[in-house]
Amino acid sequence: MFELILMCPQEQVEDISDALDALDALSVSVEDMDAHTDAEQALFGEPGMPAPKDGWNRSRITALFQERAGAEEAAKLLALQDFFTGCQLLGIQPLEPQDWVRLTQAQFQPVDITPDFWIVPTWHELPQAAKVSIRLDPGLAFGTGTHPTTRMCLRWIARQPQGSLGRVLDYGCGSGILAIGAAKFGAQDIDAVDIDADAVTSCQLNAQANQVQLKAGLPDQASGQYQTVLANILATPLKVLAPLLANHVQAGGHLVLAGILERQTEELIAAYAPYLPLQVADSEDGWVLMTAQRGMA
């Protein structure tokens, strides 16, 4: 395979990227042309918020083609277009062979939730400190243990008294990591539900790989009340789901919500106030974990 490398002003990046896609590029990536220099531009924003700028003043566009002839033809055709003004061809070069599986696996290392509770990809040995572990590889569904929201939920689960989780609902289960974590810490009757059929399949496969029992399905599978209701989604759907999730919490039971930014805390408290008294139980990297307990009848 061959890389076609261009320099483009920000105004042309979208047109050039669209054209490369139409010219059968296998992939198109955009980076800061001035990265690692004094002119480098950092594009940062709060989680869930748009970046302060749309892109860099000068972008390096790299397009991947199967054959050199395809890259050369694309370069010739682009040079004839009006929107190529200000752009520059930096070169065409062969892509060095890579062990892509190994490179991908290297990005996912074991994650410690507590000193003795770890999330470990299947290609890694279990850490000696891991008394409890979840074997999980990245896949089609959200949830590998690397995001602060997932880690906080799992920490909460790990810190509960043994046998206290009771019947558990994982609403928006993704990979099933929270439901599996609950099973690892003694929950016996677990419903894991998601609107995405791929997530349901992923959850089932991950449960089998971890030798735990749970029932995975679409949201209408959730029924009755639960001692523990977990929902790691995002703030907006959590607000919409407030009456539904709260009604699934039995007397004395716990509601555990994540996917919430610190600045969204008051919104969630207000949304759930008619049902349950939410409070912040944990925080990490700008995200918070919120919990509530229903009083005994």
Side-chain angles (χ1 to χ4, degrees), residues 241-261:
L241 291 167
L244 183 149
L245 293 177
N247 286 336
H248 277 306
V249 181
Q250 70 184 44
H254 292 272
L255 176 66
V256 181
L257 305 180
I260 306 161
L261 294 167

Side-chain angles (χ1 to χ4, degrees), residues 207-221:
Q208 292 170 13
N210 283 276
Q211 300 179 322
V212 301
Q213 298 295 317
L214 55 78
K215 299 183 291 293
L218 298 175
D220 59 5
Q221 176 178 293

Side-chain angles (χ1 to χ4, degrees), residues 132-157:
V132 180
S133 64
I134 298 176
R135 286 290 199 174
L136 199 71
D137 296 341
L140 295 175
F142 174 82
T144 60
T146 59
H147 196 275
T149 60
T150 309
R151 289 199 300 270
M152 287 189 292
C153 288
L154 289 171
R155 274 203 300 267
W156 185 92
I157 290 170

Side-chain angles (χ1 to χ4, degrees), residues 140-141 174-175 194-205 218:
L140 295 175
S175 68
D194 203 291
I195 61 173
D196 184 346
D198 286 336
V200 172
T201 300
S202 178
C203 178
Q204 292 169 333
L205 293 174
L218 298 175

Side-chain angles (χ1 to χ4, degrees), residues 22-95:
L23 290 167
D24 296 327
L26 300 176
S27 68
V28 179
S29 62
V30 183
E31 304 171 274
D32 185 358
M33 187 70 197
D34 298 309
H36 310 299
T37 72
D38 292 340
E40 180 177 8
Q41 290 178 268
L43 301 180
F44 294 120
E46 287 189 58
M49 295 291 287
K53 294 184 179 179
D54 291 333
W56 302 282
N57 292 334
R58 301 193 314 156
S59 293
R60 175 189 176 99
I61 298 181
T62 303
L64 188 63
F65 288 86
Q66 189 68 48
E67 306 288 344
R68 176 181 284 275
E72 292 174 344
E73 182 66 15
K76 290 177 184 177
L77 291 173
L78 286 174
L80 298 174
Q81 309 305 313
D82 292 340
F83 55 75
F84 197 74
T85 303
C87 300
Q88 180 182 348
L89 173 64
L90 300 181
I92 296 173
Q93 62 187 29
L95 181 66

Side-chain angles (χ1 to χ4, degrees), residues 273-292:
Y275 314 103
L276 290 169
L278 275 183
Q279 60 184 1
V280 174
D282 200 353
S283 64
E284 183 177 337
D285 294 343
W287 299 89
V288 296
L289 181 78
M290 303 191 74
T291 62

